[in-house]
Amino acid sequence: MQYRTFGRTGWQVSEIGYGMWGLAGWTGSDEAEVRQALQRAVDLGVNFFDTAWAYGNGKSEGMLGDLVRANPYQKLYTASKIPAKNFKWPARAEYTLDECYPPDHIRHYTEWSLQNLGLPSLDLMQFHVWNDHWALDKRWQREIQKLKEEGLVKAWGISINRWEPANAIAALRTGLIDAVQVIYNLFDQNPEDELFPVCRELNIAVIARVPFDEGSLTGTLTQETTFPPDDWRSRYFHPSNLLPTLERVEKLKLEVPPGMTLPELALRFILQNPDVSTIIPGMRKVRHVEANVACSDGARLPEELMARLRTHRWVRHPTPYSD
């Protein structure tokens, strides 16, 4: 496992982290199997784990707390997220701070998450949605500073709305945010334009989420793929998105070098970017952990291949199915 510096915190985090969304909103999750995958990740050097209260209403946080206690001699970095008070994703421009993150809500969910985790403090707490209209509001600023001063949270971050990578830059410039979590993958390369330069300037950590585009970049979806109604992907892979996605995936498959899989190529493309501190693929099975961790070997893709991969950039904007 290779490690990278997590922005100005100075933490040394595994460049392959662990995204724990798979316990909520996705079918096919087996808790015992997930626990095995989590421990296997630790054994292979993964030390950054990202969860949220919304992932099973605290269930995922509880599993992360169990994992930390089961590995007392290894430093595991814990990250969670506070849901918006109105429980709506994403945070639209017309939503007020009072509707989403009033100070008492920030404190309540921070304390609730710590209770679920069974830990005295969180390494990183993040706003699960964000809109930069709130950036200069002193109320959220004062509350997160208090929670940091009290030792409940060591660093603060923002999970940026899907396909809105610049919609946090004003908040970053307050000096109060230590990390951003943003969708960045072979298709969604837009964070490179505005967000990443600001992160470099301010030494803010970057967590790359959705490295496989919710599964399309695993190469396993077909035109016949369907998901149960209660699976989040049943909305995301609506025909208006599934069909054009599959067309782009087929073109991308032509770029995969011999002996490499499409998921491996997807991860290696992200790892090539030094702006990224860690990637958090969702991993519910031991074999997924082992395959993804194996990509962290320091090897680089040839520049001519990287140049071709950059042509697969897909500029997308928020839509009803992407919420």
Side-chain angles (χ1 to χ4, degrees), residues 106-166:
I106 294 172
R107 178 168 292 273
H108 174 65
Y109 271 86
T110 297
E111 293 174 347
W112 197 352
S113 290
L114 288 172
Q115 182 179 340
N116 292 334
L117 287 155
L119 299 175
S121 66
L122 264 164
D123 293 303
L124 178 68
M125 181 55 101
Q126 304 156 95
F127 293 98
H128 206 155
V129 298
W130 186 255
N131 198 287
D132 250 2
H133 285 94
W134 315 323
L136 300 183
D137 193 309
K138 297 295 183 183
R139 292 174 295 164
W140 72 266
Q141 296 182 13
R142 285 193 295 264
E143 194 61 34
I144 72 169
Q145 287 175 294
K146 288 178 186 176
L147 289 164
K148 202 170 185 179
E149 290 165 0
E150 293 168 19
L152 298 183
V153 176
K154 296 175 183 175
W156 282 92
I158 288 173
S159 182
I160 301 176
N161 300 342
R162 183 184 299 273
W163 302 334
E164 298 179 29

Side-chain angles (χ1 to χ4, degrees), residues 207-281:
I207 304 165
R209 79 177 192 267
V210 195
F212 302 129
D213 187 39
E214 309 297 7
S216 78
L217 290 173
T218 64
T220 57
L221 303 185
T222 70
Q223 292 186 27
E224 287 71 43
T225 297
T226 59
F227 300 97
D230 61 346
D231 189 307
W232 180 85
R233 292 168 294 180
S234 67
R235 184 173 76 251
Y236 182 73
F237 286 115
H238 183 274
S240 62
N241 183 32
L242 178 61
L243 298 181
T245 297
L246 291 176
E247 292 176 1
R248 289 175 176 270
V249 169
E250 288 305 309
K251 294 177 182 177
L252 190 55
K253 286 180 179 178
L254 300 176
E255 308 288 4
V256 181
M260 187 179 292
T261 65
L262 180 58
E264 179 182 350
L265 182 66
L267 287 179
R268 290 189 180 279
F269 171 83
I270 300 170
L271 289 173
Q272 199 97 339
N273 193 325
D275 292 326
V276 173
S277 306
T278 187
I279 310 172
I280 51 169

Side-chain angles (χ1 to χ4, degrees), residues 87-104:
F87 287 93
K88 293 181 180 179
W89 279 262
R92 302 192 186 282
E94 61 266 26
Y95 298 165
T96 66
L97 186 73
D98 289 311
E99 291 178 277
C100 296
Y101 289 115
D104 60 341

Side-chain angles (χ1 to χ4, degrees), residues 13-32:
V13 303
S14 53
E15 61 182 18
I16 301 294
Y18 200 117
M20 296 180 65
W21 184 17
L23 289 175
W26 299 66
T27 52
S29 291
D30 178 83
E31 183 174 333

